[in-house]
Amino acid sequence: MLTAGAGVPELTLLYRGPLSSCNYSCGYCPFAKHAESPAEAAADTAALERFVAWVQAYPDPISVFFTPWGEALHRARYRAAVIRLSRLPQVRRVAIQTNLAGSPDWLAEARTDRVGIWATYHPGEVKRERFLAACARLDALGVSYSVGVVGLRAHFAEIEALRTELPAAVPMWVNAFATGGGAPVAGYYSAAEVARLQAVDPLFEVGTRRIRSAGLACDAGLRALAIDGDGTARRCHFVPRVVGNLYADPLPDLLVDRPCPKPTCDCHLGYVWLRDLDAGEVYGSGLLERVPRPGADLTGYLDRARQLALG
Ligand code: SF4
Ligand code: SF4
């Protein structure tokens, strides 16, 4: 039986299949302009279809978050998967990270009240006007979305211009410039620069700190799992230990309440599951696409993150 079982909390699956290609060419990214071969396309399509079929057969409430290596919405198969998943009665949310390069018009076929878009703006790859036009289309479609940027110093003015031109109700985040391993680059920002970017993203400082997670209770692994194309399940994208296989193992065997084994958790995708941070209180149903609840206590969240941060 596929159900999570009595007492198992509502499940979120973070899916990252074999896809590793992108239509953009950001200088710091390994997936930039990688052209997908026919064999890679076939493998990714098969893996995605298997995953979507599993979710379709799952009878309990569930959310899905696509966190691809590269750009997935550039591929028709991912657009179709989002539409299909959004229409399943048990799916609460289907969210995806995207560079929003393509028109979002295809979302008109989806249950837009269940879709979440984590849109990253890449200055240098796309004109601001074009990106804003795609955002306006998301607004018209009634899709919950956040907009963000990597906080490179060279992009500060562009980040502020984007904030000025986006509707005030659209939440914006700025990710701290990070190493290849995901940790924020120590000392990259002066205090004045943190304050400047905090004016754009009230939670910017959280990403500049390393969150101490060792031994802390984390719902990644209990309420959320990271799933590879072949069904390999890990508690999150950051702990390599395999906990089983989505397609081979009973789900309750995969979902275990364990403390975090890593010294720090350096990514929003991870630390939002830390119980001490209580990100659910801030983000509510917008947790996956990083959209805070209206009136959420962002200061309280920032304080909790400061208490957990190293140094
Ligand atoms: S849009 Fe994202 S995946 Fe594509 S090249 Fe830029 S950073 Fe990499
Ligand atoms: S705190 Fe981060 S690294 Fe640790 S288990 Fe949770 S998500 Fe994974």
Side-chain angles (χ1 to χ4, degrees):
M1 184 108 153
L2 207 51
T3 71
V8 173
E10 190 171 315
L11 184 64
T12 294
L13 298 180
L14 282 71
Y15 178 81
R16 181 178 285 162
L19 183 96
S20 60
S21 59
C22 188
N23 52 325
Y24 281 1
S25 51
C26 306
Y28 52 85
C29 177
F31 314 111
K33 287 285 182 196
H34 170 72
E36 185 177 64
S37 70
E40 287 171 335
D44 190 65
T45 301
L48 180 62
E49 284 176 359
R50 189 178 190 192
F51 176 72
V52 171
W54 187 94
V55 176
Q56 183 157 4
Y58 185 73
D60 295 331
I62 186 168
S63 293
V64 172
F65 189 11
F66 291 103
T67 57
W69 291 133
E71 176 56 36
L73 292 183
H74 193 50
R75 310 285 173 200
R77 58 185 180 269
Y78 280 91
R79 299 193 294 271
V82 170
I83 292 168
R84 186 169 152 199
L85 289 170
S86 77
R87 293 186 161 281
L88 298 176
Q90 72 274 35
V91 170
R92 297 284 191 260
R93 201 57 140 207
V94 51
I96 186 162
Q97 296 180 311
T98 174
N99 61 24
L100 208 57
S103 164
D105 285 350
W106 59 274
L107 277 166
E109 290 179 47
R111 276 282 305 252
T112 50
D113 57 328
R114 295 179 180 165
V115 174
I117 298 286
W118 164 311
T120 305
Y121 174 52
H122 297 277
E125 297 295 314
V126 61
K127 292 263 184 252
R128 191 193 325 145
E129 296 70 26
R130 184 179 162 145
F131 185 83
L132 285 163
C135 293
R137 189 68 190 121
L138 289 176
D139 279 322
L141 288 161
V143 175
S144 172
Y145 72 102
S146 70
V147 166
V149 193
V150 176
L152 287 169
R153 189 166 287 110
H155 292 158
F156 283 1
E158 188 59 33
I159 290 168
E160 288 167 330
L162 184 67
R163 176 65 282 175
T164 302
E165 294 181 34
L166 272 173
V170 175
M172 222 180 126
W173 46 266
V174 181
N175 273 357
F177 183 52
T179 62
V185 175
Y188 183 79
Y189 300 101
S190 68
E193 287 171 335
V194 171
R196 181 175 174 183
L197 294 178
Q198 197 102 331
V200 173
D201 170 5
L203 299 177
F204 171 68
E205 185 192 323
V206 177
T208 68
R209 312 286 290 268
R210 305 198 70 182
I211 303 294
R212 270 183 297 111
S213 55
L216 295 185
C218 179
D219 281 339
L222 180 65
R223 294 195 296 126
L225 290 172
I227 306 297
D228 282 359
D230 65 1
T232 297
R234 297 177 177 83
R235 64 181 303 177
C236 63
H237 287 316
F238 315 103
V239 176
R241 180 173 179 264
V242 172
V243 298
N245 186 289
L246 187 69
Y247 307 131
D249 298 311
L251 190 56
D253 291 358
L254 306 184
L255 300 170
V256 178
D257 193 3
R258 306 180 177 95
C260 175
K262 291 199 63 178
T264 61
C265 187
D266 297 318
C267 182
H268 176 93
L269 290 180
Y271 51 66
V272 293
W273 299 101
L274 274 174
R275 260 171 247 163
D276 283 354
L277 208 48
D278 198 8
E281 192 273 328
V282 170
Y283 291 98
S285 63
L287 180 75
L288 301 183
E289 70 269 21
R290 212 167 167 173
V291 173
R293 290 187 297 107
D297 177 12
L298 302 184
T299 307
Y301 183 76
L302 192 53
D303 286 345
R304 291 195 292 281
R306 283 174 177 153
Q307 282 166 19
L308 290 176
L310 285 182

